[in-house]
Amino acid sequence: MGEARELMDRLTASVTGHGHLEALAELYAEDAVALTPDGELRGRDAIVEWWGQLTEAVPDASYRPVNTYEVGDTAIDEGVYSGRNTGPVRLPSGESLPPTNREFEINGVDLATVRDGRIVSYRVYFDQMSFLDQLGLLPEES
């Protein structure tokens, strides 16, 4: 197993099962960049804050890998992220929605590129509409 795979596995462990944000912060370079469904995040602190909001919304999250890859300095995971929304859901606008206590299961892909023992670039893709729909947060169709 290479360095990228090791760091990606540690990242996954840090954000599932009640999250360990201190351990997560150690994985990212100070000037890391992340592309998330909420937009581009610059810097370790912004990335850890984003993960903190997600782990607060879903503290018991789990992840089931479907495919895992490592190509050079980049690890790629495809899998299923699931849990129950028991904490506030923070929106990109800054407002928060109360917990729905609903369970969800979404497919996603994330990529982590590593340099000098830290993640310098991180990208995560998942179907936000499916996530919000399963939580009952989409407006009802008329």
Side-chain angles (χ1 to χ4, degrees):
M1 170 174 23
E3 184 177 55
R5 175 83 267 140
E6 178 190 342
L7 288 172
M8 179 70 95
D9 291 346
R10 288 173 49 200
L11 184 155
T12 301
S14 296
V15 298
T16 56
H18 299 291
H20 302 284
L21 298 182
E22 302 81 24
L24 179 69
E26 293 298 316
L27 302 177
Y28 285 96
E30 193 170 319
D31 61 347
V33 175
L35 180 60
T36 74
D38 294 328
E40 184 177 88
L41 306 172
R42 295 196 161 274
R44 174 192 304 145
D45 294 342
I47 296 166
V48 171
E49 181 181 337
W50 181 81
W51 276 116
Q53 293 173 7
L54 192 56
T55 59
E56 180 183 20
V58 189
D60 70 338
S62 65
Y63 179 77
R64 180 175 44 84
V66 174
N67 290 298
T68 60
Y69 307 96
E70 184 176 36
V71 180
D73 62 358
T74 301
I76 306 161
D77 283 355
E78 174 189 14
V80 180
Y81 181 74
S82 60
R84 179 181 298 274
N85 170 226
T86 58
V89 176
R90 296 195 192 168
L91 303 176
S93 66
E95 67 181 302
S96 290
L97 301 175
T100 64
N101 290 306
R102 288 185 168 190
E103 292 185 1
F104 69 92
E105 183 176 280
I106 54 174
N107 296 312
V109 173
D110 56 340
L111 302 91
T113 300
V114 173
R115 187 176 324 112
D116 298 326
R118 300 273 194 259
I119 298 169
V120 294
S121 174
Y122 178 75
R123 294 161 312 281
V124 60
Y125 304 96
F126 63 88
D127 186 342
Q128 288 181 285
M129 295 300 280
S130 176
F131 178 62
L132 295 173
D133 184 45
Q134 290 178 63
L135 295 183
L137 296 174
L138 292 179
E140 301 218 6
E141 293 183 35
S142 48

